[in-house]
Structures are given as structure tokens and as C-alpha cells.
Amino acid sequence: MSTDDISTLPQGDLRLLDHEVARRLLASAIPARLAYVAADGTPRVVPTWFRWTGTEVVMPTFVTAPHVRRAAQRLAALRARPDVAVSIDTEAFPSETLSIRGRVEITEVDGVDPDFADAARQYMGEEAAADYLAGVDSPGTRMARIAVRPAWVGLVDFATRMPQIMAP
């Protein structure tokens, strides 16, 4: 599919993940924003490190570790209501926004999740990530691998993909 064909895909089409803007945002060190419904029924948005695996947005979080007082409260809420939205967007004008909707799957793993280690390198660089990971990878560390397989994709870059309300 050519770049022109990708630019004309409708919002919601999973092939938008192949657009150059989507690929750049998925490879960036911009925190993803995870939107979900909390246990009390109110909406929440949390910024989080993420790693794009080519099929999933993975956002691991600690369950237990020496530096963790308690597991992230979002885990129970995500298990109860797994439908979520994820946004990765820039602050510069014109902004670029990748929106993904899907359902989370949570898998708990002993030790540091490999996707978390990859995300640490993505956000911190090799040297700083190695130091950080050495400090958190200790006996008793357990992580929850929160993965979202896209079911709907939206992309706006204000150059080739305008919001539908503004499109000619």
C-alpha cells in the first residue's frame, strides 16, 4: 500500500499503524496515555512507558519490588473493565496524535518483564537503563505485562490527516 493510500484510510482502520507518523510515534520516547475506567466507575488517564512489539502496545508495571509499596491500583480496574484507549501524541504544533482502542490482557511475570527492559532503553538510553534495571531487578520483583492489541486506530497529523470535522 502506498503512502497516498495509507493517508486516505478512514479512522479506525488498523492499517493506519503503517503510516509513517504512526510508526514514528510508536518508536518514540513519548509516554503513552492510558485511559480506563477505575474501580469507582470514574475515568482515569495515566502516562506510562510503552513498547510497541509490532502487534501490541505493552505497558508493564510493577506488582512487587523493593522500591514498590503496593501494586498499581489500575490492575484490578483493568481486569474488571479491560476496554481501554491509548494516546501517543506530540506537544509541538502541528501536533500528531495516534489513538488506539482495544482490550488489555494482563500477564504477571517474575522479575523484570523483557518489554519493560526494552522500554527503559527506549526512554533512558542504554547506559542509564542498564543502571536502572540493575537496581530494580532483584529477588521478589514481579511485574504485570499490560498489553493492548489494537482493535481501532485513529491518526491525526494536521498535514496529511486532518480531523474529520476539518477535512474538506
Side-chain angles (χ1 to χ4, degrees), residues 1-154:
M1 178 174 283
S2 74
T3 302
D4 290 338
D5 293 339
I6 289 174
S7 293
T8 61
L9 291 173
Q11 297 290 32
D13 195 308
L14 299 184
R15 293 175 294 173
L16 287 170
L17 292 167
D18 292 327
H19 191 283
E20 65 182 280
V21 172
R23 287 194 312 265
R24 186 170 6 91
L25 291 170
L26 289 166
S28 74
I30 300 168
R33 289 157 181 84
L34 174 65
Y36 66 98
V37 178
D40 66 2
T42 60
R44 298 285 197 280
V45 177
V46 294
T48 183
W49 283 0
F50 76 94
R51 184 73 174 156
W52 174 246
T53 67
T55 58
E56 298 174 313
V57 176
V58 181
M59 302 158 284
T61 189
F62 288 96
V63 175
T64 60
H67 69 288
V68 174
R69 292 182 189 210
R70 60 187 161 101
Q73 292 181 336
R74 68 180 170 265
L75 293 174
L78 290 170
R79 285 183 173 112
R81 295 183 178 100
D83 292 314
V84 299
V86 176
S87 176
I88 305 162
D89 51 85
T90 61
E91 293 181 6
F93 182 81
S95 63
E96 299 171 331
T97 303
L98 176 64
S99 299
I100 296 172
R101 296 180 201 156
R103 294 176 66 86
V104 298
E105 289 187 20
I106 300 173
T107 308
E108 290 195 20
V109 297
D110 290 323
V112 172
D113 180 77
D115 288 306
F116 183 80
D118 287 344
R121 288 187 282 277
Q122 176 178 325
Y123 285 86
M124 302 175 82
E126 288 292 331
E127 190 175 320
D131 290 343
Y132 171 70
L133 293 168
V136 298
D137 191 10
S138 46
T141 296
R142 188 164 178 81
M143 296 194 80
R145 181 183 188 273
I146 302 167
V148 178
R149 187 172 300 270
W152 183 96
V153 174

